[in-house]
Amino acid sequence: MNTVAIYCKMLAILFLLGCKNEIKEMPNSTVPKQGGEKHKEVVYQVFTRLFGNTNTTNKPWGTLTENGVGKFNDFTDKALDEIKDLGITYVWYTGVPHHAVITDYTQYGISVDDPDVVKGRAGSPYAVKDYYNVNPDLAENPKDRLAEFKALIDRSHKAGLKVLIDIVPNHVARNYEGSSTPEGAEPFGASDDSSVDYHRDNNFYYIPNETFKVPEWENGYLPLGNGMHPFSDGKFKEDPAKWTGNGSRLAQPNFDDWYETVKINYGVRPNGSLDFETLPEDFGHKDHKAHFEFWEGKKVPNSWEKFRDIALYWMALGVDGFRFDMAEMVPVEFWSYMNSSIKMKNPKAFLLAEVYNPDLYRDFIHRGKMDYLYDKVELYDSLKHIMQGHGWTDHIPVVQKGLLDIEHHMLHFLENHDEQRIASPEFAGDAKKGKPAMVVSATIGTSPTMIYFGQEVGEPGAENAGFGQPSRTSIFDYIGVPHHQRWVNDKKFDGGRLSAEERELRDFYKRLLNFTVKSSALMGAYEDIHYYNRDHTVNYNHRVLSYVRWSTEEKLIVVSNFDAQENYSFELKVPKEIITKWGLKDGSYKATDQLGEEIEIIMTVVEGTGKLNVSISALESFIFRVTP
């Protein structure tokens, strides 16, 4: 359910009740499904090309020489230790596989890419050109680039961090070459019959008898900002034309199509019918071993085998898991085949998918054997509206209740490379407005939490980078990331040039994330107390949110104030049903905040109901641990 639908649903509830202030109690949630983990996982997404870049020129459309670029070697032992100390368990190194780039690496045997089919000067990391090698921009010596990445994997593991990289199954670069493909294997398209639009074992879809044409540029756009390049001539040779990555069947795709990419064929005919065996109805409840055995001996489309082999190749190099781009554009049967193959090699592999259609969540989790999906359309969108001041916290328990059966699989985040920076004017305009949302995102469920590099120091994404525009840190251009660079501090990685406000914000993230990875309650039960307090507590309103989390060892009460101006004081109540589950008797109990402020209040249990006098400032949160 999207945020608008949730809002409408809440208005309907209010209308039916015929009142403004009293809200009917929602049924409380129960113990969420768990995946067997003993602690929360926290993912640090880092755009590899940008992390260690200390150049501050930031010229729009600037070259690598002008604007600089980060390297694998910038992730020193010190840098990785600092990331680990932030409370991180996984690093998602974004932009590692060799994608199309404009910088000339012909002296290393790498072909030149055409600006007419590359977005930005540094190129999109989601237009992969060679799946068996890494981006030459990231290496001190491009000839040894794969060895440099392997060394980074080893350093990451030494620091106690696991490694994720992208696999982009729906599409590849328009100029895919696969020049590093191992002996005995073939690059995508090498054996395709391009005289037909479709064949099950073709890797691409074709438009016979038509030649590809670059889009008509719009809104004043010109490749490289009209910079000079010998290949920038409005032409790219592709005959016959292929379907474009977003599914466009035009030989001349539109400007807003994914024209730099071509779509992979997974055995889905142009009319939408499937050219492969489908899973039995009951397979959603079977484990990865049963899925693996189902596909053994069956003939599958060639693209399935190619991507399976790519994933196993990276796992053999030490990668611990993958983030799968636009996974919902690929049949769920492929994911059953792919992910069961991965899990047979490493049952603990971390498999995260980008899926935005809530109607598909359970199919991709159960039948596609995904570990985690983005919780974008439900929790992220709701939190964003609340942070912007026009959403109600009443939405959050509704969202959480609707996802209860799969909540462990829904990864939470407030920023990633696709989304606007919290501190950007287009989002919230102030990184501090992300603090209550971050507490909720990190503590409301058992699922992993993800942050994007620079989020922890309030990066606003304000740069006009070229192809990338302000509000998002550009993934297409060579650019510096100013707030993050102040933490990098000439590669000392000590935050030496952060402002006091930026330092405080990073300390908040560090305290919060380190608590989450150690808390047993956050892998235990959840129940909403927000609706109970909306009905029974004076001064408690739709800008505040509360819920409880607990395990055998730990009992937590979480309270967040999303209001950027107002402070609130109220007597927070913990309903009898929860007090009974906690095994507490009438009396007094300590409630100590775990976010490092050394705040301790008393919860009194009277006639079975818990009561706490809470005074909470604007944008403040508490995680109270209840003890005798």
Side-chain angles (χ1 to χ4, degrees):
M1 184 184 297
N2 61 32
T3 306
V4 174
I6 293 169
Y7 186 68
C8 292
K9 182 175 180 179
M10 294 307 304
L11 288 178
I13 291 171
L14 290 170
F15 178 79
L16 290 171
L17 287 172
C19 65
K20 292 183 178 180
N21 298 317
E22 185 176 1
I23 296 183
K24 185 177 179 181
E25 279 183 41
M26 297 285 295
N28 282 337
S29 302
T30 55
V31 178
K33 180 178 178 181
Q34 297 186 28
E37 294 86 346
K38 295 182 180 179
H39 59 78
K40 294 265 285 188
E41 303 290 1
V42 180
V43 179
Y44 188 75
Q45 183 194 2
V46 57
F47 206 84
T48 316
R49 181 203 303 150
L50 304 181
F51 178 81
N53 183 21
T54 57
N55 187 311
T56 59
T57 303
N58 283 357
K59 174 185 175 182
W61 294 102
T63 65
L64 183 154
T65 301
E66 291 170 325
N67 282 358
V69 70
K71 304 289 184 180
F72 291 134
N73 288 355
D74 292 330
F75 293 90
T76 61
D77 291 342
K78 167 66 172 173
L80 293 169
D81 286 344
E82 290 295 327
I83 292 172
K84 176 67 175 176
D85 288 347
L86 189 60
I88 305 300
T89 60
Y90 280 84
V91 179
W92 165 17
Y93 291 106
T94 306
V96 168
H98 184 181
H99 59 79
V101 299
I102 298 302
T103 301
D104 187 343
Y105 290 105
T106 52
Q107 63 177 306
Y108 301 101
I110 299 170
S111 63
V112 176
D113 291 302
D114 188 331
D116 292 305
V117 289
V118 176
K119 289 181 177 176
R121 189 177 288 278
S124 168
Y126 299 104
V128 176
K129 175 180 177 177
D130 183 356
Y131 258 115
Y132 288 96
N133 219 317
V134 299
N135 180 2
D137 276 349
L138 305 178
E140 298 290 351
N141 182 354
K143 182 180 178 181
D144 297 328
R145 60 193 185 278
L146 195 58
E148 290 188 26
F149 179 58
K150 179 63 171 69
L152 174 56
I153 296 174
D154 293 342
R155 289 197 303 278
S156 301
H157 288 165
K158 180 182 175 184
L161 297 163
K162 294 185 177 180
V163 172
L164 306 178
I165 65 168
D166 288 284
I167 287 182
V168 189
N170 177 70
H171 50 270
V172 295
R174 185 137 236 136
N175 56 333
Y176 189 88
E177 292 181 353
S179 58
S180 303
T181 303
E183 188 176 350
E186 287 187 329
F188 289 102
S191 294
D192 279 9
D193 177 1
S194 61
S195 69
V196 296
D197 61 348
Y198 169 83
H199 184 282
R200 191 184 77 156
D201 290 321
N202 277 356
N203 298 136
F204 303 128
Y205 297 94
Y206 294 89
I207 309 171
N209 304 314
E210 293 195 56
T211 301
F212 172 79
K213 295 180 180 178
V214 301
E216 294 286 343
W217 307 129
E218 299 178 5
N219 304 318
Y221 171 81
L222 290 170
L224 306 184
N226 204 27
M228 298 298 294
H229 191 281
F231 288 4
S232 187
D233 57 3
K235 299 175 183 178
F236 178 76
K237 185 177 181 181
E238 182 181 283
D239 189 12
K242 303 180 182 79
W243 288 18
T244 292
N246 62 324
S248 171
R249 306 183 188 189
L250 300 173
Q252 184 176 27
N254 295 317
F255 179 58
D256 57 0
D257 287 327
W258 304 349
Y259 61 83
E260 80 281 19
T261 66
V262 291
K263 186 166 180 62
I264 296 290
N265 166 26
Y266 281 90
V268 180
R269 299 183 184 94
N271 65 6
S273 63
L274 306 180
D275 203 355
F276 49 79
E277 191 163 346
T278 57
L279 290 167
E281 286 297 321
D282 65 344
F283 254 57
H285 302 290
K286 295 187 181 293
D287 64 13
H288 69 264
K289 187 173 185 293
H291 280 248
F292 180 81
E293 290 171 349
F294 174 82
W295 294 111
E296 274 194 307
K298 289 183 171 62
K299 180 64 177 172
V300 298
N302 181 262
S303 296
W304 293 26
E305 295 174 341
K306 278 187 166 61
F307 268 107
R308 175 205 60 193
D309 292 346
I310 287 165
L312 297 182
Y313 167 83
W314 288 106
M315 289 178 64
L317 283 178
V319 168
D320 300 294
F322 303 99
R323 180 267 190 184
F324 298 124
D325 186 75
M326 295 308 297
E328 68 187 274
M329 298 180 75
V330 176
V332 73
E333 281 81 4
F334 163 73
W335 292 116
S336 164
Y337 172 85
M338 170 87 148
N339 291 342
S340 63
S341 296
I342 292 171
K343 291 289 189 177
M344 289 300 289
K345 292 290 185 182
N346 179 7
K348 295 183 179 180
F350 186 108
L351 305 179
L352 168 64
E354 186 181 26
V355 175
Y356 294 132
N357 182 351
D359 292 337
L360 297 178
Y361 287 171
R362 289 159 182 83
D363 209 27
F364 277 78
I365 291 166
H366 299 310
R367 297 204 306 141
K369 312 317 292 179
M370 292 294 182
D371 292 323
Y372 307 109
L373 310 180
Y374 279 10
D375 196 346
K376 195 273 183 193
V377 176
E378 303 278 16
L379 185 65
Y380 168 85
D381 281 352
S382 296
L383 287 172
K384 183 174 184 178
H385 284 200
I386 296 166
M387 293 158 68
Q388 291 175 325
H390 50 80
W392 286 18
T393 55
D394 299 338
H395 302 171
I396 303 304
V398 178
V399 166
Q400 199 68 6
K401 182 174 182 291
L403 295 173
L404 187 62
D405 61 313
I406 57 169
E407 71 83 30
H408 179 69
H409 302 279
M410 303 304 297
L411 175 136
H412 295 168
F413 65 90
L414 296 181
E415 288 189 1
N416 65 41
H417 68 277
D418 285 320
E419 305 299 340
Q420 293 171 327
R421 293 287 196 174
I422 296 167
S424 69
E426 294 82 355
F427 189 156
D430 184 348
K432 294 190 294 296
K433 291 183 178 180
K435 292 172 73 174
M438 191 63 217
V439 170
V440 173
S441 182
T443 66
I444 199 168
T446 67
S447 58
T449 305
M450 183 173 78
I451 69 168
Y452 189 35
F453 86 111
Q455 176 182 341
E456 71 275 23
V457 292
E459 185 61 49
E463 297 72 43
N464 177 12
F467 192 91
Q469 296 299 305
S471 82
R472 295 171 176 84
T473 296
S474 178
I475 66 171
F476 305 101
D477 306 281
Y478 299 115
I479 201 73
V481 185
H483 289 225
H484 171 72
Q485 287 175 325
R486 292 198 281 275
W487 174 77
V488 170
N489 191 25
D490 295 323
K491 304 188 182 180
K492 297 183 185 73
F493 305 105
D494 60 2
R497 293 193 287 127
L498 291 175
S499 69
E501 188 173 271
E502 292 161 354
R503 192 175 294 110
E504 190 282 328
L505 183 66
R506 192 176 191 277
D507 182 62
F508 162 80
Y509 274 87
K510 186 174 183 177
R511 285 183 277 117
L512 173 63
L513 296 178
N514 274 282
F515 172 75
T516 67
V517 298
K518 296 171 184 174
S519 169
S520 64
L522 297 184
M523 295 306 291
Y526 155 87
E527 287 202 22
D528 164 52
I529 61 171
H530 173 76
Y531 276 92
Y532 186 90
N533 280 279
R534 287 284 268 135
D535 275 353
H536 298 95
T537 301
V538 177
N539 291 333
Y540 183 102
N541 65 24
H542 64 277
R543 298 299 292 160
V544 180
L545 181 70
S546 59
Y547 48 88
V548 295
R549 303 297 313 277
W550 77 92
S551 64
T552 304
E553 302 84 12
E554 188 178 42
K555 301 170 182 65
L556 304 176
I557 302 169
V558 182
V559 191
S560 287
N561 178 10
F562 285 81
D563 200 299
Q565 283 83 39
E566 296 295 327
N567 306 330
Y568 297 106
S569 294
F570 44 77
E571 184 183 67
L572 188 75
K573 298 173 180 67
V574 181
K576 290 182 180 180
E577 294 81 1
I578 295 169
I579 295 297
T580 299
K581 290 177 183 178
W582 285 2
L584 302 183
K585 306 295 185 183
D586 282 8
S588 298
Y589 299 85
K590 295 178 183 178
T592 309
D593 181 41
Q594 302 301 297
L595 283 178
E597 300 300 330
E598 298 183 357
I599 293 173
E600 182 177 294
I601 61 175
I602 299 298
M603 181 179 79
T604 57
V605 178
V606 179
E607 296 181 354
T609 298
K611 299 178 181 180
L612 304 86
N613 289 316
V614 175
S615 293
I616 190 166
S617 300
L619 302 179
E620 188 174 27
S621 295
F622 297 121
I623 303 174
F624 291 118
R625 176 181 280 155
V626 177
T627 56

